[in-house]
Amino acid sequence: MSQMKTKKKKLTATDKTFNVLNYVLFGIFTLICIYPFYYMVINTISANDLSAAGSINFLPSGLHMGNYKALLELKGLGSAALVSIGKTVIGTVLTVLSSAFLGFMFTQEKMWKRKFWYRFVIITMYFNAGLIPMFITMKNLHLTNTFWVYVIPTIVQPFNIILVKTYVESLPKALQEAAEIDGAGIFRVFYKIVLPTCTPILATVAIFSAVNQWNSYQDTLIYITEQKLYSLQYLLYTYINQASSLAAMVKNTGGAALSTAALATQQTGTSIRMTVSVIVVLPILCIYPMFQRFFVKGIMIGSVKG
Amino acid sequence: MKKSKTAVKRKVVGKTKDTRGIKYFLWILPFLVLVFLFSYFPLHGWIYSFFDYKPPRSLSNCEFVGLQWFKMLFTNETQVSQLIQVMKNTFAMSILGIVTSILPVGFAIFLNEIKCKWFKTFVQTFTTLPNFISWVLVYSVAFSLFSSTGMVNGLLENMGIITEPIKFLDSDSHTYLWMLLWNTWKGLGWGAIMYLASIAGIDQEQYEAASIDGANRFQLMRHITLPALMPTFFIMLMLAISNFLNNGLDQYFVFQNSFNKEHIQVLDLYVYNIGMTGSSYSLATAISMLKSIVSVALLTVVNVVSKKTRGESIV
């Protein structure tokens, strides 16, 4: 033990350099990860003429909330927010319930051809018909340009089913047997026993599918052409690509000679783009620190199961 | 007493056994229908690649052209050169991705050397955050920082280093590198999480024993931590190889513009571009069909390799 200590002391110089370097490098990378979010937030609450000129880099100045108020008048944003919230909530609830139910049902050995149907579902993880066949299918099912194209195709998620099934298999079988002896049917067992005991894994499933739903834009890109069904992400994408013409879309304090005060709150393409970005990222920023452990748990179970 | 109880149970089970099996199946049938509709049924769309499909018309009114589209892919000169460029991009992005997949391993090993708890948590929390924002938002970030009116150009102009804004986004220079950088920014911290968890599972006695034998810190990292992460790394590598052609559309679509199109078009994006915005549904279907077949083949090969080397399959 004492030998070890002396050894450690001898290495102090190298150790110290290594430590300092390590802390500095991780510090820098972490800053690179945080800074863009910080940059967007301070620009949305700073005077718009300053932010459009690119002079808000480290500290906000000329604080005002005008940008967020102006968003209320931005055409299309309200419906996009509703669509995004709707697909996140409905999509998540449906996926969680179906994953829980299927994961549980696939543990029931009595089921007719259980193994076959389980493989029938799981194998779909490994192939994909491709973009155009999917599009044609959705069109033939009359799902394109409807809200349901966001949620129905994502209800059954094989990977989530594996997660739940593995979890249910780890529970003592006696739980279900006892309930069945007491006369409980399969739904009662599912509702009264499986759902409550599976909450940790279901929380993980829920959080992942909620983030996926909130973040996806491909579904809008491919299946939706009607603007009132745009999701927030896709709307943001269109905003970025037409940043300059955007400012005209909102009511400006107008007039030929603008006072400095008016200039500071007048909407610019930059201000709208960044404010919408902040709105879009805000839910993630808020829930992420709280639910980080679920994310970590999810990837761990996933990696064990492969 | 105990015996009679099981007997009763057996009787109950035996009585209802047959109908229950079917009943359970019927309960999950609606979900199986969904799986069929959205995973198996779309495969019928592959027949579009044997027709000259023009969208408003129905398939029966379109000309059957056999393997024309497949032949065209390999004989038509402009088509071939386009496809070669697309394959170059796909290979470049995938290989860069595979080469840099060692980064999360290093990230985890070095982060593990940080003994200050709060700093470690801080780093871990905020470096994984970018993984949970959408590619549209990454693009928005990129636009804020690197567009011609963005932060970087502003800073450089104010410092008098440049007079004309540098076009980072609207240009085709270093497209592969930029895509790799954004990918790393988004995924590095998250990619390291799995390795950090593996490190937490390493038996501490190994470290103690090695230290007593005189191993220094770097030798511990090299000879204990690193080997412990290799099985996980191997799985990730195998998965990456099986997804070689599936770069996805998300990242490349948002960063795509008329300047960088030549080097950003990976296979998935190319299929979207010629299928959804271009004219040919059939050609796009033909390409994505070939892609699917190659992907499944790759997965099978990788699985066999994994079984041979590790005695365990990855799927």
Side-chain angles (χ1 to χ4, degrees), chain B residues 141-209:
Chain B
V141 164
F143 200 90
S144 305
L145 299 181
F146 294 104
S147 70
S148 47
T149 57
M151 180 237 170
V152 172
N153 272 316
L155 270 187
L156 290 178
E157 267 175 74
N158 286 347
M159 280 151 59
I161 297 174
I162 54 168
T163 48
E164 284 274 298
I166 303 173
K167 292 196 165 177
F168 292 104
L169 297 170
D170 298 339
S171 82
D172 201 13
S173 60
H174 311 295
T175 303
Y176 295 159
L177 197 66
W178 276 105
M179 289 303 109
L180 179 69
L181 281 178
W182 286 114
N183 216 345
T184 309
W185 180 75
K186 195 171 189 282
L188 180 55
W190 180 247
I193 289 237
M194 224 183 308
Y195 297 115
L196 280 167
S198 304
I199 290 177
I202 300 174
D203 190 355
Q204 286 303 311
E205 277 179 28
Q206 283 190 45
Y207 289 106
E208 281 160 30

Side-chain angles (χ1 to χ4, degrees), chain A residues 35-44 51-57 236 240-241 243 269-278, chain B residues 136-155 166 168-169 178 182 185 255:
Chain A
Y35 177 73
F37 301 107
Y38 175 73
Y39 177 80
M40 290 202 287
V41 171
I42 58 171
N43 269 283
T44 58
S51 99
S55 46
I56 308 291
N57 290 328
L236 175 62
I240 299 170
N241 280 348
T270 315
S271 74
I272 294 172
R273 177 167 50 76
M274 293 217 209
T275 316
V276 175
S277 299
V278 171
Chain B
V136 172
L137 262 159
V138 175
Y139 180 57
S140 175
V141 164
F143 200 90
S144 305
L145 299 181
F146 294 104
S147 70
S148 47
T149 57
M151 180 237 170
V152 172
N153 272 316
L155 270 187
I166 303 173
F168 292 104
L169 297 170
W178 276 105
W182 286 114
W185 180 75
F255 279 97

